[in-house]
Amino acid sequence: MKESAGKVLAITRKDILSEMRTKEIVTSIVAFALLVIVVVSLALDPSERTSAVAAGVLWIAFTFAGVLGLGRSFVMEKDKGCLQGLMLCPVDRAVIYFGKMLSTVIFMLVVEAIILPVFVILLDQPRFPPHLVLITVLATVGFAAVGTLFSALSVNTKAREVMLPLLFLPVASPVIIAAIEASGLALAGGPWSEILPWLGVMVAFDVIFLAVSPLVFEFVLEE
Amino acid sequence: MQILKNNVLSTNALFALMFVTMTAALFLVFVYVPTEASMGIVQRIFYFHVPLAWVAFIAFGIVFIGSILYLRSSNRKWDRLAHSSAEIGMVFTSLVLITGPIWAKPVWGVWWTWDARLTTTLLLWFIYHGYLLVGSFASDESQGARYSAVVGIIGFVDVPIVALSIVLWGTQHPEPVMSEPGGLTGAMLLTLMVSLAAFTLLFAYLLIHRVSLALAADELKRLRQFADERDYDG
Amino acid sequence: MADSGQQADGCAIEVERLVKSYGDFNALRGVDLKVKWGEGLAIFGPNGAGKTTLIKILSTIAKASSGRVSVGGFDLQGDSVKARRQIGVVTHQTLLYDELSTYENLRFYGKMYDVPHLADRIRELVAQVDLEARRDDPVRTLSRGMQQRAAIARALLHDPPILLLDEPGTGLDQRANEMLINIVSSTGNGRRTVIMTTHSLEQGLAFCNRVLILARGNIVYEESGKLDISTLREVYHRHTGVGY
């Protein structure tokens, strides 16, 4: 069990090392997320920049950016047959799943850490609630839990750029809804008691899909 | 494989039963049950809308079970079952999404309401659609079957959480809820139950036919291929 | 050599009634094969014969539709993880991460394979494939031939008793090819078992003492011992209708 954990981290570390060389994923996604926020905000009247609406803008940006990031995760493996290289390793397929999932979470958290303060400023929010961080982390784990599976799947199909969001968005909708609602409440300074049920939804989602996805992952990898 | 051929008697029996139940249901819905006080005649759509949603959900459950069985056994017939159920389920789901607005507009004045059941059905529609699309976009048939099975499993597991999140959302954002004011009277309950039975039987009948068709097509392909190879080798 | 399920009487590879279909296309239609430890087997066949499919199944990239496959003494049905330890694979793709250096790639795979004394092992291999000078350069900066040599190092990292080579001739320059022959034929404790699919009769015969021809998903010809290239060429043409 412990050596599996070591191998999961080896995969994650390998991804991070690779990304640090090129900075491809993080820079393009940060730029994209910012762009979405700017464009959508331009459609809004200043009076409409309530916390509820702002939360919506934020999570639209994070969702689209997340889909981009998820897509990149397995494209890099498809190149040069590296995915097969991973499959040849004497590890359970679930190890590959968790390794990739973890690196996706880390990349997205880096992007989100940059975007969040910028967002608060751009949309002129009265406060930066600390709960926003927790909400973001839970949602990101949920995205990666289901997104890693779908990313591996779509990389092997035609129209892969369309396939991934098409599969991902409806399935991830509970997390998106929960993130938007909870963020809206947090930005408005709402009470914990109201935010908690939404966190519950996200935790339930995360736990369920972190359990189910690795079980079916082998069927996506193997021919 | 030859579900129809070998069981003509039972399929005919099923058809007869379905026909009778459906006729009864139609009678009950249009003639027997009294017009609901506040919503008027349009309310009768409820007796279609709810059973359709129910059957759509069952269909998805069958997609789920078929998907698991396919992944475990690699036996194509489970994939055929799952796909057939998804196709028919898709139709029923679309009907729910159509009957919804037809009901909503005259009663609540809006074409669409973000009612929990309706919205969950909408997301279900998208998940089904993904399931069917993956099957056709894969590079070969067995990959398509495998991938859609994965989507079928993930999608079904997701449905309760989707429903939960939307119900929760509904408590924060009041919207017209598509249900009946007050409770259901005896007559209404009876009508609903019969309609439920009728649509379930209809689904079962359509499913059996669709699966038989798929399996027969497979068999035909296999025979054709066998013949082709014989020619080539000969 | 790495620990294996090696027994004196067992086989390195055992394939029984292997069938693989991709939807309606039957890539392999009931292949039976036994490869003994230390044997060198060359598999020839035209495109679409099923050579790559066979290698994919032996390397656990693909799953058999039916039939039994055992690699290194382990049944792929239940023990595929253990089976993977027994094999090293070289294909026309390098299976290396472009942005990472040869050294970093080997470090990564070494960790995944639990290679003992990894640093020493890497040093040894890098020297063997003559990449010491470029060890720390990103793989994408290496020439094609160098990349292939690095790929060979990757395949041999965990000292697998069985080598699967899928058309290694393509993409290997002269030097890498010779290197491969040397490394593969050289031994520590006993020969490695080698299965190679190839288009080149010459290369196949250089490595191997047994030959089989695969066509349309079936083994149509098998021969071991002293093999004559012109006879082989004629047999090949006869069975597949294709020249070499």
Side-chain angles (χ1 to χ4, degrees):
Chain A
M1 183 58 170
K2 198 160 159 247
E3 30 169 88
S4 294
K7 295 183 186 181
V8 166
L9 292 176
I11 295 178
T12 306
R13 232 179 292 128
K14 178 258 309 168
D15 278 352
I16 295 178
L17 191 58
S18 196
E19 173 59 16
M20 290 207 310
R21 298 269 160 86
T22 59
K23 304 192 185 45
E24 262 175 22
I25 302 182
V26 172
T27 45
S28 53
I29 295 180
V30 167
F32 180 70
L34 272 177
L35 210 56
V36 171
I37 293 181
V38 167
V39 169
V40 175
S41 303
L42 286 173
L44 297 172
D45 203 58
S47 63
E48 295 170 307
R49 290 188 208 133
T50 61
S51 35
V53 172
V57 174
L58 179 68
W59 283 99
I60 290 176
F62 278 174
T63 302
F64 287 158
V67 168
L68 261 188
L70 286 166
R72 306 278 301 134
S73 171
F74 276 93
V75 168
M76 80 151 51
E77 302 285 349
K78 199 81 165 113
D79 205 31
K80 302 297 194 299
C82 291
L83 189 57
Q84 294 196 353
L86 282 177
M87 289 175 72
L88 288 174
C89 295
V91 293
D92 283 322
R93 308 305 192 193
V95 166
I96 303 176
Y97 168 81
F98 282 114
K100 298 301 287 182
M101 190 220 92
L102 220 55
S103 56
T104 303
V105 169
I106 292 175
F107 290 151
M108 286 175 64
L109 286 180
V110 168
V111 170
E112 287 155 353
I114 299 173
I115 297 286
L116 273 178
V118 176
F119 153 80
V120 169
I121 294 171
L122 276 182
L123 273 116
D124 201 24
Q125 294 300 298
R127 60 183 68 77
F128 188 119
H131 342 322
L132 209 50
V133 174
L134 177 61
I135 295 168
T136 305
V137 170
L138 285 177
T140 305
V141 169
F143 278 8
V146 131
T148 304
L149 182 66
F150 285 154
S151 174
L153 195 157
S154 17
V155 98
N156 283 329
T157 52
K158 301 180 235 176
R160 64 161 80 136
E161 296 85 7
V162 154
M163 204 72 247
L164 179 57
L166 208 67
L167 292 173
F168 176 74
L169 290 175
V171 170
S173 56
V175 174
I176 301 173
I177 295 173
I180 295 178
E181 292 296 306
S183 303
L185 287 166
L187 286 168
W192 256 118
S193 56
E194 282 181 32
I195 301 183
L196 224 45
W198 292 114
L199 295 181
V201 169
M202 286 195 276
V203 168
F205 185 93
D206 293 357
V207 165
I208 292 176
F209 285 105
L210 283 176
V212 173
S213 300
L215 293 177
V216 289
F217 194 60
E218 63 175 278
F219 296 104
V220 172
L221 285 188
E222 290 176 0
E223 288 182 26
Chain B
M1 177 113 354
Q2 290 132 318
I3 294 180
L4 267 190
K5 242 180 91 184
N6 296 343
N7 296 295
V8 175
L9 188 58
S10 45
T11 329
N12 283 346
L14 178 60
F15 179 76
L17 186 61
M18 185 225 14
F19 186 78
V20 165
T21 325
M22 190 58 91
T23 315
L26 288 171
F27 171 76
L28 287 173
V29 170
F30 286 112
V31 179
Y32 168 72
V33 86
T35 310
E36 206 267 341
S38 52
M39 294 192 245
I41 280 201
V42 150
Q43 186 270 346
R44 289 175 197 265
I45 249 197
F46 160 79
Y47 302 106
F48 295 115
H49 181 85
V50 171
L52 285 170
W54 163 250
V55 170
F57 185 73
I58 294 185
F60 211 36
I62 295 181
V63 172
F64 177 63
I65 295 174
S67 296
I68 293 183
L69 289 172
Y70 175 72
L71 289 183
R72 289 189 50 197
S73 71
S74 299
N75 188 335
R76 241 207 232 160
K77 70 173 185 228
W78 295 122
D79 168 64
R80 297 301 180 232
L81 174 66
H83 259 90
S84 305
S85 189
E87 279 178 16
I88 303 173
M90 188 64 155
V91 172
F92 278 71
T93 310
S94 307
L95 287 173
V96 174
L97 296 174
I98 294 173
T99 54
I102 295 179
W103 185 10
K105 183 66 174 152
V107 176
W108 291 284
V110 287
W111 278 115
W112 181 262
T113 152
W114 295 96
D115 160 78
R117 182 168 52 221
L118 204 58
T119 311
T120 309
T121 309
L122 181 60
L123 282 164
L124 192 71
W125 189 94
F126 280 110
I127 298 179
Y128 261 135
H129 183 240
Y131 174 92
L132 291 171
L133 216 63
V134 164
S136 44
F137 270 30
S139 50
D140 68 75
E141 228 185 67
S142 64
Q143 187 194 56
R146 236 181 327 123
Y147 282 6
S148 41
V150 168
V151 174
I153 293 174
I154 296 285
F156 186 76
V157 169
D158 197 36
V159 170
I161 314 182
V162 170
L164 172 65
S165 63
I166 292 182
V167 166
L168 196 55
W169 183 87
T171 63
Q172 315 280 23
H173 308 262
E175 283 265 335
V177 172
M178 294 168 57
S179 58
E180 318 52 56
L184 291 169
T185 66
M188 296 166 95
L189 197 57
L190 172 68
T191 312
L192 182 62
M193 290 295 121
V194 172
S195 189
L196 208 61
F199 277 102
T200 309
L201 288 171
L202 176 63
F203 171 70
Y205 183 71
L206 289 172
L207 185 63
I208 291 178
H209 266 273
R210 183 64 190 93
V211 173
S212 293
L213 193 61
L215 293 176
D218 283 346
E219 182 71 4
L220 181 61
K221 241 193 198 166
R222 202 181 65 79
L223 290 172
R224 271 227 183 93
Q225 219 182 21
F226 183 66
D228 282 341
E229 282 162 18
R230 279 267 300 271
D231 287 338
Y232 185 72
D233 292 343
Chain C
M1 211 157 294
D3 268 348
S4 62
Q6 187 166 351
Q7 307 129 320
D9 51 333
C11 285
I13 309 252
E14 263 181 68
V15 173
E16 241 174 86
R17 286 194 304 274
L18 174 61
V19 173
K20 177 63 180 170
S21 358
Y22 289 101
D24 293 318
F25 173 62
N26 298 319
L28 294 173
R29 302 159 195 228
V31 170
D32 292 291
L33 179 62
K34 276 193 172 58
V35 181
K36 298 200 206 67
W37 291 105
E39 252 191 311
L41 172 67
I43 303 180
F44 303 107
N47 290 327
K51 307 192 298 294
T52 303
T53 306
L54 180 59
I55 297 285
K56 278 190 177 164
I57 291 180
L58 292 176
S59 56
T60 75
I61 302 288
K63 249 195 204 138
S65 301
S66 71
R68 203 182 70 89
V69 183
S70 136
V71 172
F74 298 105
D75 192 323
L76 290 189
Q77 189 84 320
D79 278 325
S80 55
V81 174
K82 293 199 193 112
R84 275 178 235 143
R85 262 186 218 287
Q86 310 297 311
I87 58 175
V89 180
V90 178
T91 71
H92 61 281
Q93 289 184 305
T94 62
L95 275 52
L96 294 169
Y97 293 96
D98 266 348
E99 293 303 327
L100 268 40
S101 70
T102 305
Y103 182 74
E104 284 161 343
N105 267 289
L106 291 176
R107 270 260 307 249
F108 169 67
Y109 279 112
K111 184 87 181 39
M112 299 303 282
Y113 280 93
D114 297 309
V115 174
H117 311 297
L118 186 55
D120 294 328
R121 179 80 183 131
I122 294 180
R123 202 173 305 133
E124 180 191 335
L125 275 170
V126 170
Q128 249 189 324
V129 298
D130 197 21
L131 276 176
E132 268 153 334
R134 304 294 302 277
R135 188 191 83 147
D136 293 314
D137 293 338
V139 166
R140 67 178 157 74
T141 63
L142 302 178
S143 72
R144 178 99 180 110
M146 285 186 213
Q147 288 183 3
Q148 276 295 8
R149 276 145 53 195
I152 293 171
R154 175 198 49 76
L156 293 169
L157 188 61
H158 54 295
D159 203 18
I162 302 173
L163 271 185
L164 302 174
L165 312 172
D166 192 17
E167 314 231 3
T170 57
L172 280 187
D173 62 10
Q174 180 76 326
R175 206 154 135 226
N177 204 23
E178 281 168 9
M179 219 170 257
L180 186 61
I181 296 181
N182 286 337
I183 294 175
V184 166
S185 336
S186 79
T187 60
N189 323 308
R191 280 179 66 93
R192 283 186 221 270
T193 312
V194 176
I195 300 183
M196 163 195 286
T197 66
T198 177
H199 271 141
S200 160
L201 284 177
E202 287 87 355
Q203 187 185 52
L205 292 179
F207 276 82
C208 308
N209 50 26
R210 188 172 156 207
V211 154
L212 65 85
I213 299 181
L214 206 58
R216 288 201 317 278
N218 281 116
I219 298 179
V220 296
Y221 179 78
E222 234 183 298
E223 182 73 64
S224 38
K226 198 90 184 67
L227 302 156
D228 175 55
I229 196 171
S230 46
T231 322
L232 205 50
R233 210 170 258 138
E234 190 236 306
V235 170
Y236 185 85
H237 179 82
R238 195 174 359 119
H239 275 101
T240 64
V242 174
Y244 237 115

